Amino acid sequence: MKRIRLRVAYDGTNYSGWQIQPNAPTIEKKLDEAIYALTGENVHVTGASRTDAGVHALGNVAVFDTASSIPADKFTYALNRYLPEDIIIQQSDEVEFDFHPRHCDTEKTYEYTLINSQFPVPIYTRKTYCYSILNTEFGLPKKRNYTWNVPGNIDISKMQEAAEYLVGEHDFKSFCCVRTQTETTVRKIYSLDVDRKGDEILITVTGNGFLYNMVRIIAGTLIQVGKGKFNPEYVKEMLDAKDRTQAGQTAPPQGLTLMKIEYL
């Protein structure tokens, strides 16, 4: 037996998230099915980040145990033959049996993309994240599946000012779904940047871990700051309140991409 680690990129548009659900297509289910088709083994992958429905990834991580004689680095090519075009294995290698993708020290980086235009743009003018990194042509996807369209004036400088209050180690109870089940809501954000590129606004956040909906709530809150609903300094009061009702809205899932996970 050996434990195989996969680095997985996917377009989450057509899936009900990562985690297996009854009667719904998920990333986890497609990976399990591909492994069975390749090896004949009924195994279950364990993912590092259980992304929500509609959320994308460039570098999610999953592991599974197998008795297959296929070399670890060849699973990349072998599994891709059995996966749909919107899920692609980028890398595979062998790890120790005590390696667990969610129980290790990591740095996770997410990017949230907004389009600041009066009306939604139906066609994406560049390839999607998952496709472009693999230099693969699949045509032009619909931009609405990969961004959140927010019209009107947005003050980027105020968003950047508000973001500074979130950097560091804090209790992020105000910035997670009330259904979050975890021993602690304390997390550490290493960096949180807001940049504009034309009509795109990119929110990039790196931390040691994130709570359920945390990045989407941060993105939604920062946009409301940029729109003038909240003053930047009020973000500190949101943190101190430890109350979900005090923070801003939850941004929709399609603008979110898990960019990478680095194991420390």
Side-chain angles (χ1 to χ4, degrees):
M1 294 289 290
K2 57 191 174 187
R3 179 159 293 186
I4 302 299
R5 174 173 58 184
L6 307 174
R7 294 192 181 273
V8 191
Y10 49 86
D11 175 339
T13 303
N14 297 319
Y15 298 95
S16 297
W18 172 275
Q19 195 168 8
I20 286 180
Q21 302 175 35
N23 304 314
T26 66
I27 306 299
E28 194 173 54
K29 183 177 181 180
K30 291 295 183 182
L31 290 172
D32 287 355
E33 290 174 349
I35 294 169
Y36 178 78
L38 176 64
T39 69
E41 298 172 309
N42 282 305
V43 302
H44 181 60
V45 300
T46 299
S49 183
R50 291 173 285 192
T51 52
D52 294 337
V55 174
H56 317 292
L58 280 183
N60 206 346
V61 174
V63 299
F64 67 96
D65 296 336
T66 178
S68 171
S69 62
I70 299 172
D73 64 327
K74 300 302 182 185
F75 275 96
T76 303
Y77 308 98
L79 285 176
N80 280 332
R81 291 186 297 147
Y82 296 97
L83 288 167
E85 65 180 16
D86 51 7
I87 304 174
I88 302 175
I89 308 299
Q90 296 178 286
Q91 182 183 3
S92 60
D93 59 4
E94 185 173 355
V95 293
E96 298 294 331
F97 278 106
D98 62 355
F99 175 84
H100 191 290
R102 292 199 301 273
H103 298 161
C104 298
D105 291 335
T106 62
E107 287 187 4
K108 295 182 180 180
T109 299
Y110 283 87
E111 186 172 277
Y112 198 95
T113 306
L114 304 104
I115 298 297
N116 183 209
S117 63
Q118 187 62 33
F119 301 104
V121 180
I123 299 297
Y124 215 173
T125 55
R126 61 177 182 174
K127 303 179 188 70
T128 67
Y129 290 121
C130 296
Y131 300 157
S132 64
I133 198 168
L134 296 165
N135 297 317
T136 309
E137 289 280 0
F138 289 110
L140 295 174
K142 293 179 180 179
K143 197 165 189 176
R144 63 182 173 82
N145 290 334
Y146 308 97
T147 61
W148 178 25
N149 185 78
V150 182
N153 295 326
I154 298 177
D155 190 327
I156 297 298
S157 63
K158 287 186 177 180
M159 292 177 65
Q160 293 168 335
E161 183 181 346
E164 293 177 5
Y165 289 102
L166 297 173
V167 176
E169 187 172 84
H170 305 285
D171 188 333
F172 283 94
K173 189 172 183 178
S174 295
F175 290 84
C176 67
C177 176
V178 294
R179 300 192 306 275
T180 298
Q181 296 179 346
T182 182
E183 292 182 1
T184 176
T185 49
V186 174
R187 295 292 186 272
K188 187 173 185 178
I189 290 182
Y190 301 116
S191 63
L192 177 53
D193 300 313
V194 182
D195 299 295
R196 179 186 284 276
K197 298 179 180 178
D199 64 354
E200 289 190 351
I201 297 173
L202 305 178
I203 300 171
T204 306
V205 56
T206 298
N208 65 353
F210 295 93
L211 302 162
Y212 185 41
N213 280 353
M214 179 173 161
V215 179
R216 289 168 57 192
I217 295 170
I218 287 174
T221 300
L222 292 181
I223 280 295
Q224 288 181 295
V225 170
K227 297 282 286 183
K229 181 173 182 178
F230 303 122
N231 291 323
E233 57 271 19
Y234 184 59
V235 171
K236 185 179 185 305
E237 295 183 35
M238 295 178 185
L239 282 170
D240 294 339
K242 300 179 179 63
D243 180 353
R244 173 65 188 95
T245 64
Q246 297 303 303
Q249 70 185 102
T250 303
Q254 72 273 9
L256 184 61
T257 301
L258 172 58
M259 302 299 289
K260 62 181 179 179
I261 299 174
E262 295 183 353
Y263 287 87
L264 306 178

